[in-house]
Amino acid sequence: KGFKPNGRLAATPSPSLCRAMSRRLVLVLWLWLATAAAGAAQDDEEEDLSGDPIGEGDNRSALLTSSAAAARPDPLRRWLEGLRISLPAGATGELPMGMGTLELTAGSCWGFEVGHLRSEDNSIDQTLRFDVNVTDFEVTCHIEGLNNGTLEVNITMGRSSLEVGLQIEPYVSPVAPSLPLPLGQFNSTHCLADLVVQNISFAGDSLVNEALQGLPLEMLTPMMGTFINTPLCEGLRHAIEDQATSFAQMGAQLVTPLLFEPLPLFQPDPLPDKSLMNLSTYPPLKVAQALVRDRFELWANRVVQILSVASFEFLLADTQNTSVTLRDFQIQGIGARTQPGLEIGMMDQLLDLFVNLEGLSLYTSLGVDVHLPGQPTLTEVVDITLGLSNLSMGLRAWVDEPMLNNLEIDQVIQSPRCIVQCATSTADPPSDSIAVENMEVAMRPLLQVSAEGSLEHDITQLFNSLVAALYSGYMPAINALVNGALGMARAPLNSLMWQRIESLPKCSRAELFMGVDEHVIRSLWTSSISVAVLGAVAAVAAHWRSKRRGTSGLDGEMGSSAGGAEAAAGVEAREDLCLARQPFVPLVLTVFYPFALLSVMLLFLFADLDLGATVSVVMAAEGRSATIGPLFSFSLVSTIAHSWDSGAYFISILTLLTSGIWPFVKLSLLFASWLLPPSRFSVRRRGHVLNFLDTWGKYSFVDSWFLVLSMSAFALEWESVGEASMKVQTTPTAAFYAFFTATSLSLVLGHVASELHTHAAKVASGKGSGGGSSGEAKPLSCLVGSRALRLAVACAIALGVLLALVGTFLVSFVFEVDGIAVEFLYGRHVSKEYSLLSVGTSVAQDRYDNAGLLGLEIVFLALAVVVPILELCVLLGLWMAPMRPLTQRAVLHFCYLLDSWASLDVAALVLVIATSEFGRMAEFLVYKSGFATPCTMIKDLTASECLEVNMHARGCMAIVISAGLLLLVVPKVTLRLCADAISQRMGYPVLPKEVASDDPVKGGGGNSGGGDCASPVRRP
């Protein structure tokens, strides 16, 4: 009897119910037959296994292989096991046996497992043929759909396998018959599917569920597997032969134009009023060409060694679900003398680059992370090895030659947009000035992919087999396609390049001046000159006005000036007046001196803020030269800041104190000594201050001598086999010479104040030139202390002379320059030994036409070498040689002047600091200055330093330090002893700071002390 799903009886059976019942009877009969056949097949298989020992051994071997594979890390297997894939809603499919169409509404699959993926390449010439076999495939799915009602299916498949054969015929384009493509007819040579359903269940109100509900599992599972296998193979055959072939034909039509050589880009015209640089004669490019040619073998081997140990962590791509990181990059293999090669070619305004990579392979390791929402994370490391034959690129570069010649590289370092400006002014639109005109690559048949894990190994083997077959049969077409794609990429690449250029910061030099406006700094120089000129005009005007009135003093109080120096000598000093208003001081000097102090102060300020020195590269070739620079720039402020940031705290603090603060303190004290009256600034205190300024004013030379050392450190020179050469040299700027001039002027102004103070004190005490003038000639050593003291002083002076001479000539330190740049130039690190003398003589080496450098060399050698030795020799003569009192006083005065300028102790101090902290300073200049980006990238890529400069002391450095210490102590002690002895002979103090004392030396007179050494002067 018929019934309805709601349980109510029907008077007559419905047609649909009759169809359902008939289908169920057919299914039961078919399931019985299928189950019987499957049981028989299983019995035969068990019988074969039990009776075939070889098969049993193969099975054990497979188990061992599977165990070994399981022991290897398989991130892809673990990820597939936890992966859950949602099935697309709305998909439809025909059910077997005419059971209608199933429309998918929801569903998902999980528990993916793949035993092995095997592939075999059976290609012949250009006919590609592959056999792919997937075994031990498992998956569980839950399916929800509509089929005359709702239907839910839970199915688990395991121990399944699929073998597919694929054949691809070549496609020959009628327009490019010599370059066939692997995009012809796709054929399925065979398909063997064995999908084993291990478990299946149904639910819902669909007729399918009603028909299959209640059937035993052992009947359903073989039936469903049989239902799936044939449709699966039919579907694959249809997808390969129809859909894949259709897509291949579409792809062939799209890529065929890429087989032709790319058309040249449109050639614009430059602006008519611009003078374009001829790249073929530009010296830096000629030097680069010679460097590549001459250092070829070293470059090739060094690149291989460097990049074979490089380590990366560079993010290449990061999307919502996937990120790719470059973890390693290596160049494997060592090239011969002619390979790999790099050639640079120039012609007019075109720059060509050609790289020959025969014999080398590029290896990269990529980290791939897949993050799907709600799914486990897959982390894989994929290794790729690529072989290239050569690379070439042509770049159009229109450069305004006058603008480029006036461009300083420190601007380029701050922003590459500065050098781009030299090109953008040559074309309209500016983007026509720089463009990639051609790119070509020739590939070798080498592209292999590998990954850790057994399943990953199977997949990469399939990929490698496919690539190898493509390379074997279609290498010319692949190269043509790659080059065609590169040709089409020129326009987008140029557009992307200009977008990047326009995003660069504007061309500016503000950072070079530590945030101070360059115009403000230049105004300080102008102000210094203006103040000096104004002071000179005011002094001349005051002198002319006083002459008309017949007076020489301020407000008519300073006496006549008509008598010149003779008249001034007879004018008495006023103890109640400041030094500037003393009657014997010329009115011109009285007026000009404050202006001079203010001018020097402004000159110091300008020199501190402006760039004091630059490191540049001079490149010469075929009779032409060009200066590329500065690479580095120094100022006093930047030296202090950079030294502190680099950890060279001693250099920073000492430079700040001696060259930053001390000059202004010294000039301020000179202002006070010149203008303050004795009631505010006593004469005795003024004498002490002026003597202190004369003694220690020379330590402002610390920064200057440090620059002299830097000039030796950064001096590198390379010459090619031909005419090309390159020199790295340090050049002082106007600010450095301004600082050196200001230091010297401040010392001179201090001497002027000291001389006037001494004269004022002598005139006030009435001891100007009398006393001791007729004394007999005696050595001062006979008038001082015991015999042991006299001998000790003489020996100390003689030892100072000996150490100064020996320390000047012996090698005392060495500069070591290392890094990628140096090894590229010379094939080894560079070590340069120096003595104090050779440092001085190298200042103007090969640049003797530069008057400033030549003058700096002469002054350094004079102050650091000649004057100290001369001072000690004259001091020894003053101590030992018999002289008259007036002569001794004059020589003593000369020794004081020499001691104020002798700078061997300053040079020794600079050497001590430099040997301990110069390396940190140089490292900062390389990695924290404008070269930070390229040098840091080189260091990260190669695990080697870009440029490393260190200064190391030699044993003879101790001699220089000892000589400096002796020069610091011995002259000052000896001068004091000599001054006391001369004061005893003259009858009054001769030291400026002692002249103002109200307690003159007792027992004065020209002959005091007797004619022997029996009456020594009391030691200070």
Side-chain angles (χ1 to χ4, degrees):
K1 298 182 179 179
F3 62 90
K4 291 186 178 179
N6 58 11
R8 293 184 300 173
L9 294 177
T12 58
S14 64
S16 60
L17 180 59
C18 292
R19 286 194 298 270
M21 294 299 294
S22 62
R23 288 172 184 166
R24 181 162 187 168
L25 291 175
V26 172
L27 282 174
V28 170
L29 178 61
W30 189 91
L31 285 174
W32 180 80
L33 295 175
T35 303
Q42 183 175 3
D43 293 340
D44 293 341
E45 182 178 358
E46 290 177 354
E47 181 178 356
D48 292 340
L49 290 176
S50 62
D52 186 3
I54 298 178
E56 182 179 359
D58 291 342
N59 191 30
R60 285 198 300 267
S61 176
L63 291 175
L64 291 175
T65 303
S66 177
S67 300
R72 299 174 59 186
D74 278 330
L76 183 57
R77 290 186 187 276
R78 293 193 299 269
W79 183 70
L80 289 175
E81 290 173 359
L83 182 65
R84 192 179 191 94
I85 298 179
S86 298
L87 300 178
T92 59
E94 293 293 330
L95 294 177
M97 299 184 61
M99 300 177 68
T101 302
L102 176 66
E103 181 182 355
L104 191 65
T105 59
S108 60
C109 294
W110 65 91
F112 295 91
E113 292 186 17
V114 179
H116 295 287
L117 177 65
R118 297 288 185 259
S119 61
E120 184 177 355
D121 181 11
N122 298 315
S123 302
I124 301 175
D125 296 331
Q126 293 180 340
T127 299
L128 306 182
R129 185 169 183 174
F130 298 94
D131 294 336
V132 180
N133 185 9
V134 182
T135 59
D136 297 332
F137 175 76
E138 296 184 10
V139 66
T140 299
C141 294
H142 171 74
I143 302 172
E144 298 179 9
L146 298 176
N147 175 258
N148 296 321
T150 61
L151 177 65
E152 295 184 17
V153 181
N154 293 308
I155 183 171
T156 299
M157 290 185 292
R159 295 181 300 170
S160 301
S161 63
L162 175 65
E163 182 177 342
V164 178
L166 174 65
Q167 179 175 307
I168 306 174
E169 299 293 339
Y171 167 80
V172 180
S173 171
V175 295
S178 61
L179 295 173
L181 298 172
L183 297 173
Q185 177 65 41
F186 279 54
N187 296 314
S188 175
T189 58
H190 65 278
C191 177
L192 298 176
D194 184 15
L195 302 185
V196 179
V197 178
Q198 294 181 331
N199 194 6
I200 188 170
S201 62
F202 299 91
D205 56 7
S206 171
L207 294 178
V208 174
N209 179 43
E210 295 179 5
L212 301 178
Q213 193 69 32
L215 293 179
L217 184 63
E218 58 273 11
M219 296 181 65
L220 282 175
T221 52
M223 177 193 69
M224 298 306 297
T226 306
F227 284 163
I228 297 174
N229 289 333
T230 301
L232 175 62
C233 283
E234 290 296 329
L236 286 176
R237 183 184 301 275
H238 171 71
I240 292 174
E241 296 183 353
D242 296 335
Q243 296 180 358
T245 299
S246 176
F247 282 120
Q249 291 176 353
M250 293 173 57
Q253 299 298 324
L254 291 175
V255 302
T256 295
L258 299 179
L259 297 175
F260 299 97
E261 184 177 353
L263 297 175
L265 292 180
F266 169 74
Q267 293 295 319
D269 294 324
L271 296 177
D273 59 337
K274 295 300 180 179
S275 175
L276 299 184
M277 174 172 289
N278 188 346
L279 301 181
S280 62
T281 60
Y282 187 46
L285 291 179
K286 300 293 289 185
V287 171
Q289 198 176 42
L291 275 171
V292 170
R293 182 185 65 245
D294 293 356
R295 307 304 299 165
F296 181 77
E297 184 176 1
L298 170 70
W299 177 83
N301 294 334
R302 180 57 179 166
V303 168
V304 172
Q305 295 168 10
I306 290 170
L307 296 181
S308 293
V309 297
S311 180
F312 294 78
E313 278 296 334
F314 182 73
L315 185 63
L316 292 178
D318 188 11
T319 62
Q320 183 177 1
N321 299 324
T322 306
S323 62
V324 181
T325 304
L326 179 63
R327 295 188 174 182
D328 195 4
F329 182 80
Q330 300 177 12
I331 296 182
Q332 298 176 338
I334 302 296
R337 175 65 182 174
T338 58
Q339 55 185 15
L342 175 63
E343 297 178 9
I344 300 176
M346 299 87 68
M347 185 178 65
D348 296 333
Q349 285 77 44
L350 184 64
L351 180 66
D352 290 324
L353 181 67
F354 177 82
V355 184
N356 180 11
L357 296 176
E358 286 290 347
L360 296 181
S361 58
L362 308 180
Y363 166 83
T364 182
S365 180
L366 302 178
V368 181
D369 295 310
V370 180
H371 314 276
L372 298 177
Q375 306 292 341
T377 300
L378 172 64
T379 300
E380 286 280 1
V381 177
V382 181
D383 300 330
I384 302 174
T385 303
L386 175 65
L388 300 177
S389 179
N390 57 69
L391 298 169
S392 64
M393 183 177 70
L395 180 69
R396 181 203 308 153
W398 291 351
V399 181
D400 189 333
E401 187 170 7
M403 287 187 64
L404 183 63
N405 292 335
N406 295 327
L407 180 68
E408 295 184 350
I409 201 172
D410 54 4
Q411 296 173 273
V412 180
I413 293 172
Q414 299 300 324
S415 174
R417 197 168 180 177
C418 297
I419 194 171
V420 174
Q421 288 181 356
C422 299
T424 54
S425 62
T426 63
D428 187 18
S431 57
D432 289 341
S433 59
I434 300 177
V436 176
E437 290 205 346
N438 60 76
M439 289 188 298
E440 293 184 4
V441 61
M443 304 184 68
R444 289 189 292 120
L446 176 60
L447 175 58
Q448 293 184 348
V449 178
S450 62
E452 190 172 2
S454 59
L455 183 57
E456 291 88 336
H457 174 74
D458 293 344
I459 296 174
T460 55
Q461 284 295 103
L462 172 61
F463 178 82
N464 293 335
S465 299
L466 175 61
V467 171
L470 290 173
Y471 275 164
S472 175
Y474 297 94
M475 195 67 200
I478 292 175
N479 276 320
L481 289 175
V482 171
N483 289 317
L486 291 176
M488 294 186 63
R490 289 174 298 175
L493 179 62
N494 290 330
S495 177
L496 183 64
M497 177 179 63
W498 278 100
Q499 290 178 11
R500 174 60 181 161
I501 290 174
E502 292 173 355
S503 66
L504 294 172
K506 293 184 178 180
C507 183
S508 172
R509 303 180 71 200
E511 296 185 12
L512 299 175
F513 299 95
M514 306 301 290
V516 182
D517 188 82
E518 188 175 359
H519 299 290
V520 175
I521 298 175
R522 298 290 185 263
S523 67
L524 293 173
W525 163 261
T526 306
S527 300
S528 174
I529 300 300
S530 301
V531 169
V533 172
L534 180 62
V537 172
V540 171
H543 177 72
W544 179 76
R545 182 182 178 188
S546 65
K547 228 177 156 183
R548 290 190 60 184
R549 294 183 177 182
T551 61
S552 62
L554 295 174
D555 300 327
E557 296 180 0
M558 294 190 179
S560 174
S561 61
E566 294 80 0
V571 179
E572 293 187 359
R574 295 275 301 274
E575 295 185 358
D576 59 332
L577 297 178
C578 65
L579 191 58
R581 296 177 62 87
Q582 291 296 329
F584 59 86
V585 178
L587 183 59
V588 172
L589 183 60
T590 299
V591 176
F592 180 72
Y593 194 86
F595 286 94
L597 290 176
L598 181 59
S599 175
V600 172
M601 192 174 290
L602 291 172
L603 195 60
F604 268 122
L605 192 58
F606 159 74
D608 290 349
L609 297 177
D610 200 8
L611 299 180
T614 59
V615 180
S616 305
V617 180
V618 179
M619 297 184 178
E622 298 179 355
R624 296 185 60 186
S625 64
T627 300
I628 305 298
L631 304 178
F632 307 115
S633 298
F634 305 91
S635 68
L636 182 70
V637 176
S638 66
T639 299
I640 295 171
H642 293 167
S643 300
W644 184 268
D645 292 338
S646 64
Y649 302 117
F650 200 7
I651 293 179
S652 180
I653 294 173
L654 189 66
T655 304
L656 174 64
L657 293 178
T658 60
S659 300
I661 298 176
W662 172 236
F664 296 99
V665 172
K666 178 171 57 177
L667 293 172
S668 299
L669 292 174
L670 287 178
F671 261 115
S673 300
W674 187 255
L675 297 176
L676 292 180
S679 60
R680 303 286 300 275
F681 198 60
S682 68
V683 178
R684 184 180 183 85
R685 183 180 300 172
R686 185 175 68 195
H688 280 283
V689 168
L690 292 174
N691 186 62
F692 179 81
L693 295 180
D694 285 343
T695 303
W696 302 103
K698 61 185 177 182
Y699 277 85
S700 294
F701 286 123
V702 164
D703 191 56
S704 302
W705 297 164
F706 192 79
L707 174 65
V708 172
L709 278 181
S710 300
M711 295 178 70
S712 302
F714 292 107
L716 295 174
E717 183 174 355
W718 174 84
E719 292 185 357
S720 71
V721 188
E723 298 181 356
S725 64
M726 180 178 65
K727 296 179 182 178
V728 180
Q729 58 189 21
T730 305
T731 305
T733 64
F736 170 80
Y737 293 114
F739 183 89
F740 196 87
T741 302
T743 303
S744 302
L745 288 176
S746 65
L747 287 174
V748 172
L749 292 173
H751 293 329
V752 171
S754 295
E755 292 296 324
L756 294 176
H757 167 78
T758 302
H759 183 73
K762 288 179 180 179
V763 173
S765 61
K767 303 292 177 71
S769 59
S773 60
S774 61
E776 60 180 329
K778 289 183 181 181
L780 293 179
S781 58
C782 294
L783 305 175
V784 179
S786 63
R787 185 181 299 274
L789 177 61
R790 295 194 294 271
L791 183 61
V793 172
C795 291
I797 298 175
L799 180 61
V801 174
L802 178 64
L803 292 180
L805 285 171
V806 174
T808 298
F809 288 95
L810 292 182
V811 173
S812 53
F813 62 95
V814 58
F815 278 116
E816 292 185 353
V817 188
D818 203 351
I820 295 297
V822 178
E823 289 200 32
F824 176 68
L825 290 175
Y826 304 104
R828 54 179 176 79
H829 78 282
V830 176
S831 179
K832 299 184 294 182
E833 297 180 334
Y834 286 98
S835 65
L836 197 61
L837 180 66
S838 61
V839 166
T841 56
S842 65
V843 171
Q845 186 175 5
D846 299 330
R847 291 187 285 175
Y848 292 107
D849 56 339
N850 190 319
L853 291 177
L854 186 60
L856 178 61
E857 180 176 308
I858 294 173
V859 171
F860 176 80
L861 292 175
L863 298 184
V865 178
V866 177
V867 173
I869 297 175
L870 178 63
E871 178 195 2
L872 293 175
C873 292
V874 174
L875 195 59
L876 184 61
L878 176 64
W879 181 252
M880 300 296 297
M883 301 179 190
R884 293 183 180 276
L886 288 180
T887 305
Q888 289 173 336
R889 188 179 71 174
V891 175
L892 177 69
H893 182 261
F894 182 61
C895 287
Y896 269 111
L897 291 178
L898 291 177
D899 189 59
S900 299
W901 292 87
S903 300
L904 179 60
D905 51 343
V906 181
L909 176 62
V910 170
L911 288 179
V912 171
I913 299 172
T915 52
S916 61
E917 297 194 335
F918 189 86
R920 297 193 193 100
M921 182 70 177
E923 182 180 7
F924 181 87
L925 291 175
V926 173
Y927 291 108
K928 300 297 182 181
S929 63
F931 274 112
T933 301
C935 277
T936 301
M937 182 182 68
I938 291 174
K939 184 176 181 178
D940 292 341
L941 294 182
T942 65
S944 301
E945 298 292 339
C946 174
L947 179 65
E948 188 176 16
V949 183
N950 287 304
M951 179 179 175
H952 303 292
R954 289 285 188 259
C956 295
M957 175 75 80
I959 300 177
V960 179
I961 296 174
S962 301
L965 291 174
L966 286 175
L967 190 71
L968 181 66
V969 177
V970 171
K972 295 169 180 57
V973 174
T974 306
L975 287 172
R976 182 56 188 267
L977 292 174
C978 293
D980 287 346
I982 296 174
S983 298
Q984 181 179 351
R985 298 195 70 187
M986 301 290 291
Y988 59 87
V990 296
L991 280 177
K993 64 179 181 179
E994 299 291 346
V995 171
S997 177
D998 296 330
D999 185 19
V1001 175
K1002 304 296 182 181
N1007 297 321
S1008 61
D1012 53 38
C1013 298
S1015 302
V1017 178
R1018 177 173 54 86
R1019 292 180 60 192

